[in-house]
Amino acid sequence: MTKDTAANAENLLLQIAEGTAQKIGEEFHHALVETLRRVMNVSIAIITRGVGHPVSKAQTLYAWRDGEKVEQFDYVLEGTPCALVYGGVRLTVPCDLAQKFPRDAGLESYCGVPLHDKHGGVVGHFAVFSETPLENEQAVENIMRIFASRVEAEIQRARADMEREALIRSLKRSRDRMELQREAAAPVGFRKIENNPHSVRIPRQSLYIPTE
């Protein structure tokens, strides 16, 4: 890698880092794919999750194409470079993409990296497509690999938050059921007093004065 090439790669990395530095969660993902598309001059930037067991489709979580945000869509992996990435490999096709993968007609190059869960399984991928050849495939792959780690961390954090919220909801439901069961098992009179403590009446003490 020449000094000019290294400097250019470093500049790209800095611009992407600056474009995403203050973002977390969904805001980070949106900022990342938009910044990648703009800074690296790629046509498409996507973050996906796998669909099916085994995975046969990819569903976009975040996607930008030609400068515009794209609504979620899914696509069959067979016959695409993404299928290889879902197999667990980082893949860079610097040119002639459509010749190798005819489904990607009109696109010239590709770089994709797998996204893993906390157990190491592939759960999605992070990829860019371009209508022109990649000028520095090694730099592009390094940038994608670095930011894929951040994407994985954000996805895992979001999943952990969802699991924690689901656990809290489950515990609340269990507590409510236990309270209902306890009330149903209590004697009627006790339940009445428990439910309405103001209904408890303490009898007035009698005063007896004997006569002489």
Side-chain angles (χ1 to χ4, degrees), residues 32-149:
L32 177 60
V33 292
E34 192 279 331
T35 305
L36 275 174
R37 185 211 59 78
R38 174 172 50 81
V39 172
M40 296 174 65
N41 194 31
V42 294
S43 304
I44 303 170
I46 58 175
I47 297 172
T48 75
R49 71 176 186 91
V51 178
H53 300 283
V55 173
S56 59
K57 292 182 179 181
Q59 181 183 70
T60 60
L61 300 175
Y62 311 96
W64 284 76
R65 179 164 191 162
D66 298 328
E68 296 184 355
K69 178 185 173 183
V70 179
E71 294 301 320
Q72 281 190 349
F73 64 92
D74 56 13
Y75 60 96
V76 175
L77 288 169
E78 185 178 359
T80 70
C82 307
L84 299 177
V85 179
Y86 267 88
V89 300
R90 292 196 298 268
L91 177 66
T92 302
V93 182
C95 60
D96 301 326
L97 178 66
Q99 293 182 22
K100 299 177 177 68
F101 301 94
R103 283 184 54 184
D104 292 315
L107 297 170
E108 183 68 19
S109 56
Y110 172 90
C111 183
V113 293
L115 300 174
H116 303 88
D117 61 18
K118 62 183 179 181
H119 304 295
V122 177
V123 294
H125 91 312
F126 174 36
V128 293
F129 298 77
S130 180
E131 296 174 358
T132 60
L134 295 179
E135 295 181 0
N136 187 340
E137 58 184 281
Q138 188 60 55
V140 170
E141 185 174 325
N142 287 340
I143 289 170
M144 294 291 290
R145 177 176 50 80
I146 290 169
F147 283 95
S149 297

Side-chain angles (χ1 to χ4, degrees), residues 152-169:
E152 287 179 346
E154 289 291 340
I155 289 176
Q156 290 175 18
R157 183 188 63 79
R159 183 164 295 180
D161 287 345
M162 291 174 61
E163 290 175 351
R164 182 171 60 253
E165 290 174 1
L167 177 60
I168 291 172
R169 288 194 298 270

